Amino acid sequence: DAALTLVRERNPAVLNAFLAADTTSELTESAGRWPNPEMQVYQENFPGALPGNTQWIVSLSQRIPIGGRLGAAQDQAEAARAAVAEEATAVLWQADLRVRTDYASAYIRQRELEAVTTATAATRGLLESTRNRAAEGDASEYDVRRMARELEALEMRAELLSSQLRGAEIRLAYLLGVERPADGWAFLDPSSQVGGPPPLADVGGGVATGGAIVAEVGSGTGEPAAATNDFAERPDVAAAMQR
C-alpha cells in the first residue's frame, strides 16, 4: 500500500498524465463560448482642411458563430477531455501494475536467494565432509567432484538471484521516486509482515483468469466476437473510443 501511494504521488508519468487532464478540463470550459468582443479606438485629425479639429472613432465588433458550431466545439472538447482523463487512468493502472510486478519480483527473488543461501551453506559443509571421507577411503573422488559442482551451481544461482533482486529494487525505486537503500529492502515473511505480500497460494486460482478476455470467432464469418464488458471498460480502450 505504501508503494502504491508513492507511485501516485511521485511518479513523473502519472503526475504528467493527471496534469494534462487538469489542463484539458480547463480548456473545455471555454470551448463552447462566444469569442470575446473587440473594441477599437483611434484618433483622426484634419491638419489641412480643418486645423485644430479632431475626431475620435470607436468601433465595437462581435463575431457570431454559425449555428451549431459552438455545440460541436463543446462536444469535441468534452470528448477530448474524457479521452485524456481515461488515458491518465490508464497510465496510473500501468504504473500500478509495474509497481506490483517489481515488488513481487523483488520479494520472490529475495525468498529464493534466502533458500539458495541456506542450501549453499549446507552443501559447503557436505563437501568438506565428503573430502574428509575420501581421505579416509570412505568416498570416491567422483563424489567429491560431484559435490563441488553442486556447490558451484548453487553459488552461480545465488549470484544470478542477487543481480535480479538488485535490478527489481532499482526499478521499484525509480517508479516510486525514492532512493534504494545501499543494502536493498528487506521483504519479511508474509506471515509476520503486516500488509506484506500474500502467500503464493492466495494469489493463484482464479485471480489471474477472473478478468481474462476470451476472443471467439463468429460461426462461419471469420469475424471476432464482440468484446466483453471488461475489455470495453478498460481506460485505454475507452480513451480510444472517445477520440
Side-chain angles (χ1 to χ4, degrees):
D1 291 341
L4 296 177
T5 299
L6 284 174
V7 76
R8 289 173 172 84
E9 294 177 350
R10 300 188 180 186
N11 185 269
V14 174
L15 294 177
N16 180 70
F18 279 97
L19 284 174
D22 290 342
T23 302
T24 306
S25 179
E26 294 175 359
L27 295 176
T28 303
E29 297 178 2
S30 60
R33 298 177 181 176
W34 281 24
N36 291 328
E38 298 179 358
M39 184 177 67
Q40 291 183 342
V41 179
Y42 61 93
Q43 180 185 16
E44 190 176 63
N45 53 33
F46 311 91
L50 298 171
N53 287 350
T54 300
Q55 68 178 1
W56 290 87
I57 299 177
V58 179
S59 65
L60 181 65
S61 62
Q62 170 69 63
R63 290 183 177 272
I64 301 177
I66 298 175
R69 178 171 293 181
L70 288 182
Q74 183 70 29
D75 292 343
Q76 182 180 6
E78 288 290 345
R81 181 200 60 78
V84 173
E86 293 288 359
E87 287 169 349
T89 302
V91 170
L92 176 60
W93 282 18
Q94 291 164 0
D96 186 292
L97 176 60
R98 289 180 61 190
V99 169
R100 294 175 187 271
T101 301
D102 287 328
Y103 190 97
S105 177
Y107 172 76
I108 292 171
R109 295 296 174 270
Q110 197 168 78
R111 294 303 302 274
E112 289 180 343
L113 183 59
E114 179 183 353
V116 170
T117 301
T118 301
T120 300
T123 304
R124 189 174 289 111
L126 287 175
L127 176 59
E128 185 65 24
S129 175
T130 304
R131 284 172 175 165
N132 293 334
R133 291 172 53 203
E136 298 174 357
D138 192 28
S140 65
E141 184 64 24
Y142 170 78
D143 292 331
V144 175
R145 293 184 178 182
R146 181 176 61 84
M147 191 64 66
R149 297 294 83 78
E150 292 286 345
L151 179 59
E152 290 177 359
L154 286 170
E155 290 174 342
M156 291 177 60
R157 177 63 177 165
E159 289 294 331
L160 176 61
L161 288 172
S162 296
S163 176
Q164 293 175 343
L165 172 60
R166 186 163 55 254
E169 290 180 339
I170 290 174
R171 291 192 302 271
L172 189 59
Y174 169 77
L175 286 171
L176 304 183
V178 299
E179 291 290 336
R180 173 183 175 270
D183 55 350
W185 283 293
F187 298 97
L188 305 179
D189 188 303
S191 62
S192 62
Q193 183 181 16
V194 178
L200 293 181
D202 293 347
V203 298
V207 175
T209 58
I213 308 304
V214 180
E216 298 178 352
V217 177
S219 174
T221 63
E223 295 295 330
T228 65
N229 290 334
D230 288 342
F231 182 76
E233 293 175 359
R234 280 177 42 171
D236 51 349
V237 175
M241 294 177 65
Q242 288 289 350
R243 291 200 180 283

